[in-house]
Structure formats: C-alpha cells, structure tokens
Amino acid sequence: MRDLPTRPLPLLSPRQDDGHKGTYGSALIVGGSRGMSGAIAMAGLSAARTGAGTVRLAVPDCCLETVAGFSPCSMTLPLANNREGQFAGTATAQLLPWLDKATCVAIGPGMGQSADVAQLLIETLEKIKSPTVIDADGLNNLASQQRSPLDWRSSLDAPLVITPHPGEWERLSGAKSSDRTRQVDMAIELAARLSLVIVLKGHRTMITDGQTLVLNSTGTPAMATGGSGDVLTGVITALICQGLAPRDAAQLGVYVHGLAGELAAKELSSHVVLPTELIQFLPRAFKQIEASEAI
C-alpha cells in the first residue's frame, strides 16, 4: 500500500439561523426496480436524515408507490420501465430535465442490470455536471460496458465519487477481491489518473482521491447486511448537497455511517444492525462528532 498523506476528519457547518431548504441543496437519487424498491427508499431517507434540503427519487413507474410508501420525506419521479420492472431505455429523456435542478446526483441503488439500464446510466452520466455518486448496480452496469478499467470516466465532466465493495471493484479494476493490497493500490492509481474519489468498502474502508488516503476507523461487523451501502450513498450525497467537497463528504460520510452502526449495535445489544436502524442513529453519530470537537 502506498504511503500517502491523510487528512483530519472534515466537519459539517452548523445550520444557519436563516437557512431554508434551498440552502441545503437538492439531492437526486436514481435507482430502484421491481423487487429492489427498498434500496432506493433507504438511500433517499438517509439523505433526508443527513440534511439535504430536498430529496427526489427517480424510479421506474411500476414501483413508485412502493418507494413512496417507505417514507413521506422524499419526492418521487416516475420514469418509464420495461417488462422486468427496471428502467426502460426511453427513461433517459424523462430524467434529463431534472439533472440541472440537482446539487448532487446519486445513481445505482436497486437499479438491477440490463442493456436498458446500462444505456440510461451512460447517457445520463454524459449529461451530468453536478457532483455525482455511483454505487451498487450503477457500478455493475458500468463494469459490463467497459473495455479497460474505468474507461468510461474519460467522457464524463462531473466530479465523481464511486463506492464499490471488493467484488464490484474487482469487476471495475481487475484487481482480485481477495488481494486487498492490490485493490487499494489500484484505487489510488485510478483515482489520481482519472480525477475521482474512490470509497473502497470493507474492514477499514479506504477513501482516496489519489493524493490523500484515509483508512476509516469506525464501523462494526453488525453492519454487514444488505442495504447498509445504500444508506452510505444517501449520506455522502446529502453532505455534498450541504457544501462539502466530494472527497471530504466521502470521508465524513463513511465515518459517521460507521459510528452510527457502532452506536446502534451497542444500544440495541444486537449482533446485526438493520439499515433502517443505521438511519435512526445518524443524528446521534453527528451529535457525538460535534461534542468531541467542542472539547
């Protein structure tokens, strides 16, 4: 593993006395499909809980009511779906007008994989100018289209954060998931060469922009359950909406996400923390960070 400088934990500025929802940005999260509505719903709820001023969830029309039923805190945008309940290729035209309204765009939670979804993803990314977070099936669809590691990045202008787990990173970079050192080295190399932020999940999740490297110190095995990554996507997206640079939002987001898991596991006395419980403990995690900085 290369020896790169680290950085102290970035902090989120206090809410302004005269602040309003426009002050704290607009999150647009694209994802969901029939059978995986929970992923996009949890990403949206965690973005709202972390403090994004408004949260819009762009989902296949067939699962809109299901997604909306999880929480009244997010708005939903219905896009065309195919027979499998995933985005249809024609959904791109419906999505594009909303991109310029977003402070930060996140793509991937629960999207599933298909030629139609990959088409929407690539065409959308080529139009985005706002900071963008790509996770889960967003990464898997990109991996299915690339000829060499992250070759799709060269055609994108947006500041970019990607959040792969080791298996997704193997598909993107070619570095085996069993070789953590090689995966980290590839993340540093590609982050520097392609000007993006990489959050490589796992024990001591790594955050790098190719110039700095942080190994996260929070988290618990109790968080090892499906949906935890969707929560992280929402947290990072909301932090960018509130003014943090993508690299700083990634570092703080990973830290507070892990801390929320620790607090939940301790209070619930449980060996597993559900993603919905993670979201409930985000306020306590932020409060603990604020208290430690005040000492």
Side-chain angles (χ1 to χ4, degrees):
M1 186 185 300
R2 300 183 195 177
D3 187 15
L4 292 180
T6 186
R7 284 188 189 173
L9 184 69
L11 297 177
L12 190 61
S13 298
R15 307 282 271 198
Q16 302 173 20
D17 289 343
D18 59 350
H20 51 83
K21 65 182 180 182
T23 307
Y24 304 111
S26 176
L28 173 62
I29 307 179
V30 185
S33 59
R34 185 185 296 123
M36 291 193 288
S37 299
I40 187 75
M42 289 187 293
L45 186 54
S46 64
R49 182 70 271 184
T50 300
T54 59
V55 179
R56 292 185 175 92
L57 306 180
V59 301
D61 194 0
C62 64
C63 61
L64 183 142
E65 284 77 13
T66 302
V67 171
F70 277 88
S71 169
C73 299
S74 302
M75 293 172 279
T76 47
L77 305 175
L79 305 185
N81 58 263
N82 59 22
R83 293 180 180 178
E84 289 71 37
Q86 300 173 335
F87 290 119
T90 55
T92 307
Q94 298 171 299
L95 178 61
L96 293 182
W98 294 96
L99 298 181
D100 290 340
K101 303 177 188 295
T103 311
C104 181
V105 178
I107 303 181
M111 289 178 74
Q113 298 181 61
S114 72
D116 283 343
V117 173
Q119 176 187 338
L120 175 138
L121 181 65
I122 292 171
E123 292 180 359
T124 300
L125 289 175
E126 290 174 349
K127 300 293 185 180
I128 291 175
K129 303 301 180 184
S130 303
T132 302
V133 181
I134 310 178
D135 183 34
D137 281 331
L139 298 173
N140 290 326
N141 279 285
L142 289 174
S144 71
Q145 301 296 309
Q146 67 184 14
R147 296 173 297 278
S148 60
L150 277 65
D151 64 353
W152 44 267
R153 171 56 174 159
S154 61
S155 63
L156 309 183
D157 294 330
L160 189 60
V161 179
I162 64 173
T163 60
H165 61 54
E168 292 163 347
W169 188 233
E170 178 175 342
R171 290 188 281 277
L172 285 165
S173 71
K176 297 294 184 184
S177 59
S178 57
D179 188 347
R180 182 70 174 181
T181 299
R182 177 60 178 157
Q183 285 211 327
V184 168
D185 286 342
M186 282 291 291
I188 295 169
E189 175 186 337
L190 291 172
R193 174 151 56 93
L194 300 173
S195 299
L196 73 162
V197 177
I198 298 176
V199 175
L200 182 57
K201 298 173 185 175
H203 176 61
R204 302 208 70 190
T205 290
M206 184 214 69
I207 304 98
T208 186
D209 57 1
Q211 308 302 318
T212 62
L213 182 147
V214 173
L215 297 178
N216 187 55
S217 60
T218 62
T220 165
M223 298 166 64
T225 184
S228 293
D230 303 312
V231 174
L232 177 61
T233 295
V235 172
I236 294 174
T237 301
L239 292 174
I240 294 174
C241 283
Q242 292 169 89
L244 285 183
R247 184 240 169 266
D248 291 343
Q251 182 180 349
L252 179 57
V254 170
Y255 185 91
V256 75
H257 179 258
L259 181 57
E262 291 179 5
L263 294 171
K266 182 177 181 180
E267 176 156 328
L268 300 173
S269 300
S270 175
H271 71 292
V272 63
V273 173
L274 299 179
T276 48
E277 293 166 341
L278 267 180
I279 296 170
Q280 294 169 14
F281 279 81
L282 286 171
R284 299 193 198 184
F286 278 109
K287 194 70 175 178
Q288 182 165 310
I289 293 170
E290 293 170 6
S292 65
E293 289 298 317
I295 296 175

